[in-house]
Amino acid sequence: MRIILLGAPGAGKGTIAKALMESGGSVQISTGDILRNAVKSGSELGKRAQGYMERGELVPDNLIMEIMESRFQAPDCEKGFILDGFPRTIPQAEALKQLLQKLNLRLDLVVNLDVPKEVILGRLTTRRTCSNPDCQEIYNIKSKPPTEDGKCTKCGSSVVQRDDETEEAITKRLETYNEKTAPLIDFYHREGLLKTITSTSSEEIVSFIRKTIGSS
Ligand code: AP5
């Protein structure tokens, strides 16, 4: 499958992408994870992205498109991909459209995860993430806790809170989403690719996506 997951911060894009990846051949591509790993490793990309991320602002479009152009050419994309956190702006969506045309690839579906704002706020302050860049399992201290001593149940690494999980950065990320990313809902509706699901159950969302892809 080749799909895009749209949704506000905390809507569950990463959780759904991982669940879909586990039961199918498609690879999760999270620009947020790519950028966080770059910051952690101290690479040139990380240095350019760090300030924007900590403030809860978007990283410039040209930087993101550079990353994605090479990412799509990796062999693991051949069986399909689940885009989590990309595109984020209309210029990124336009550039993605051209890039996919150039690579002769077609998108199957764009899923808009519609989750109430109060649920989102609660989730973001209670999320924890595995610190191992090759794992990055997502936890929640209420709904899906790590082990008692704060370790990942999959790989045993420490489970940590993200740097952009401060109240100030969360507020800014939600504002940025409304201003820059929410217009993509209309964009993909016009492209005839959009399906919206209003649900807080990951199982229900995964099964909705599987059914929709299966019947298209
Ligand atoms: P990014 O990492 O993409 O963050 P985000 O969009 O803010 O999304 P989140 O990761 O916060 O949430 P999510 O929807 O994946 O939710 P999750 O599954 O974790 O981006 C970070 C930054 O990088 C950006 O601010 C920007 O600076 C930069 N960036 C990234 N991409 C960019 C781009 N394309 N252009 C420019 N800049 C870019 O779930 C959240 C919590 O809820 C978890 O604790 C989870 O366990 C819990 N949860 C999920 N589903 C359920 C459920 N059904 N029931 C109970 N709990 C649940």
Side-chain angles (χ1 to χ4, degrees):
M1 66 172 83
R2 293 192 201 97
I3 68 170
I4 295 176
L5 298 178
L6 280 183
K13 303 180 292 293
T15 304
I16 299 298
K18 284 190 170 58
L20 288 170
M21 192 169 68
E22 270 169 23
S23 52
S26 309
V27 65
Q28 173 194 16
I29 304 180
S30 157
T31 38
D33 288 348
I34 294 172
L35 293 167
R36 270 185 294 280
N37 290 339
V39 170
K40 209 171 158 189
S41 73
S43 69
E44 195 47 42
L45 166 66
K47 284 182 195 142
R48 286 163 73 190
Q50 188 166 16
Y52 296 102
M53 295 179 75
E54 280 171 1
R55 290 190 296 274
E57 293 168 11
L58 293 181
V59 169
D61 290 335
N62 57 351
L63 202 58
I64 298 292
M65 291 317 300
E66 266 175 47
I67 299 171
M68 291 309 292
E69 233 184 301
S70 65
R71 186 64 189 86
F72 278 128
Q73 328 247 354
D76 64 352
C77 287
E78 272 167 22
K79 284 193 192 154
F81 46 75
I82 303 153
L83 301 182
D84 154 16
F86 170 82
R88 276 295 229 275
T89 62
I90 295 287
Q92 286 182 23
E94 301 276 15
L96 172 66
K97 191 174 169 183
Q98 286 184 10
L99 183 59
L100 292 179
Q101 269 165 7
K102 195 169 98 184
L103 300 172
N104 216 5
L105 296 174
R106 188 181 57 86
L107 279 175
D108 296 312
L109 181 67
V110 177
V111 183
N112 175 33
L113 305 179
D114 180 27
V115 176
K117 199 176 162 201
E118 56 285 3
V119 177
I120 280 183
L121 282 173
R123 283 181 180 178
L124 286 176
T125 46
T126 49
R127 172 174 50 196
R128 301 292 183 270
T129 312
C130 173
S131 59
N132 173 1
D134 295 326
C135 176
Q136 302 191 106
E137 185 67 8
I138 301 164
Y139 291 93
N140 188 286
I141 52 175
K142 287 189 186 154
S143 59
K144 188 189 168 198
T147 64
E148 260 176 39
D149 57 346
K151 299 281 191 266
C152 176
T153 54
K154 291 210 161 155
C155 75
S157 304
S158 299
V159 168
V160 296
Q161 189 162 24
R162 273 170 39 177
D163 289 341
D164 63 356
E165 230 75 285
T166 61
E167 208 182 312
E168 208 183 345
I170 291 173
T171 307
K172 180 68 188 167
R173 280 162 57 209
L174 289 169
E175 277 170 22
T176 306
Y177 171 79
N178 287 330
E179 188 193 330
K180 303 261 173 66
T181 309
L184 294 183
I185 295 171
D186 258 1
F187 178 94
Y188 284 113
H189 179 66
R190 286 197 302 272
E191 297 278 310
L193 286 166
L194 187 87
K195 293 272 182 218
T196 293
I197 174 153
T198 306
S199 173
T200 53
S201 155
S202 302
E203 292 75 23
E204 196 177 8
I205 297 168
V206 167
S207 128
F208 168 82
I209 294 173
R210 293 215 165 284
K211 261 191 227 145
T212 310
I213 295 263
S215 61
S216 66

